[in-house]
Amino acid sequence: MARVLITGASSGIGHALTLAYQARGEQVIACGRNAEKLAALGELVNVETLQFDVTDKSQVLATVAQMPSLDVVILNAGDCEYIDDVMHFDSTLFERVIKTNLISIGYCLEAWTSKLSAGGQLVFVSSSAQFLPFPRAQAYGASKAGLSYLAKVMQIELQQHAIGVSLVHPGFVATPLTDKNTFDMPFKVTAQQAAQHIIDGVEKRQSEIAFPGGFIFILKLLKALPLSWWRAIALRMQS
């Protein structure tokens, strides 16, 4: 029985991952801020819950004393907010998103990397938004691009410790976060489908887990084009 820690477990992909791993008979440590939703998860067999805010370093580090050895750590907690008026750049929003999606990952790594068993797996849930610069996504895209870079460095450095690292690049996933989007979201998948993609990739110890395939192919194709071409496309997206 593997011991799997999941952040952001109270909703979206994290919630779906918790249920999927629990159904497989794994021991799950579900982490999040929502006490009510965590309480419901805690009623399931083989699910332990930890309530804390990943953006609070002291709260994250306080979990170390009660943390057993871990086989899989899935750093999934994140947020998305858009900057709607670039001429009045919202630095407070920018700081908030960067702290949630990137800085907090550093707190989690400080707390739990040493808890990973040899042969274990560290999983970073980034975003396909990091492939291209999207309008209004200055904060979200920058945080996820930084997270992807961090994961790739960890892939190199943790190899000598027999710890695998998987970097997840999801497309659009139906979650409370994407429910707020007012634009088209092609190739959108359910949170349950996303969780299964991630679990399958972790089992295979894939360095990159990207889905859905058709959407990722299109993004990588666009990324290969001259940047000026993408800028023209992105400007038309805004009109």
Side-chain angles (χ1 to χ4, degrees):
M1 179 189 299
R3 186 175 283 111
V4 182
L5 181 145
I6 302 167
T7 65
S10 58
S11 68
I13 295 174
H15 187 263
L17 281 167
T18 299
L19 296 180
Y21 272 115
Q22 187 272 340
R24 290 160 56 96
E26 312 294 5
Q27 180 70 45
V28 181
I29 301 174
C31 307
R33 291 184 299 179
N34 190 306
E36 183 178 347
K37 292 182 178 180
L38 287 178
L41 289 174
E43 295 178 359
L44 299 174
V45 175
N46 293 335
V47 175
E48 173 188 348
T49 63
L50 286 176
Q51 183 190 5
F52 60 90
D53 183 348
V54 293
T55 66
D56 187 322
K57 183 177 180 178
S58 63
Q59 290 186 32
V60 176
L61 296 184
T63 68
V64 175
Q66 56 187 310
M67 191 66 65
S69 61
L70 301 166
D71 299 296
V72 180
V73 171
I74 302 179
L75 302 177
N76 163 76
D79 200 1
C80 180
E81 296 183 72
Y82 298 113
I83 293 178
D84 293 317
D85 185 354
V86 71
M87 296 305 293
H88 297 88
F89 195 92
D90 189 341
S91 63
T92 300
L93 180 156
F94 187 83
E95 179 182 19
R96 184 166 61 243
V97 173
I98 295 293
K99 186 169 187 180
T100 300
N101 293 353
L102 185 57
I103 302 300
S104 71
I105 299 298
Y107 304 157
C108 296
L109 292 175
E110 180 178 345
W112 307 322
T113 302
S114 62
K115 296 290 185 176
L116 274 163
S117 307
Q121 193 84 350
L122 179 61
V123 183
F124 296 83
V125 180
S126 181
S127 169
S128 59
Q130 66 91 32
F131 290 119
L132 290 165
F134 288 93
R136 302 171 58 230
Q138 293 94 333
Y140 181 74
S143 68
K144 292 300 187 179
L147 180 59
S148 293
Y149 186 95
L150 170 61
K152 291 173 183 177
V153 175
M154 295 297 282
Q155 285 174 345
I156 297 169
E157 300 226 25
L158 288 179
Q159 186 174 351
Q160 62 185 315
H161 299 283
I163 295 172
V165 176
S166 292
L167 172 57
V168 184
H169 288 140
F172 292 112
V173 180
T175 69
L177 278 182
T178 58
D179 286 345
K180 298 184 296 184
N181 291 341
T182 57
F183 50 83
D184 290 336
M185 293 177 281
F187 297 91
K188 185 167 65 172
V189 301
T190 66
Q192 292 73 27
Q193 289 171 320
Q196 196 57 56
H197 278 295
I198 294 169
I199 290 171
D200 290 344
V202 170
E203 273 200 332
K204 298 173 184 175
R205 300 181 74 82
Q206 293 177 345
S207 58
E208 182 185 24
I209 303 169
F211 59 87
F215 184 63
I216 298 299
F217 174 79
I218 292 170
L219 288 182
K220 290 187 175 181
L221 183 63
L222 289 169
K223 184 181 179 182
L225 297 175
L227 187 57
S228 59
W229 293 18
W230 170 247
R231 281 198 294 264
I233 294 170
L235 283 171
R236 285 200 295 271
M237 289 168 58
Q238 287 184 293
S239 61

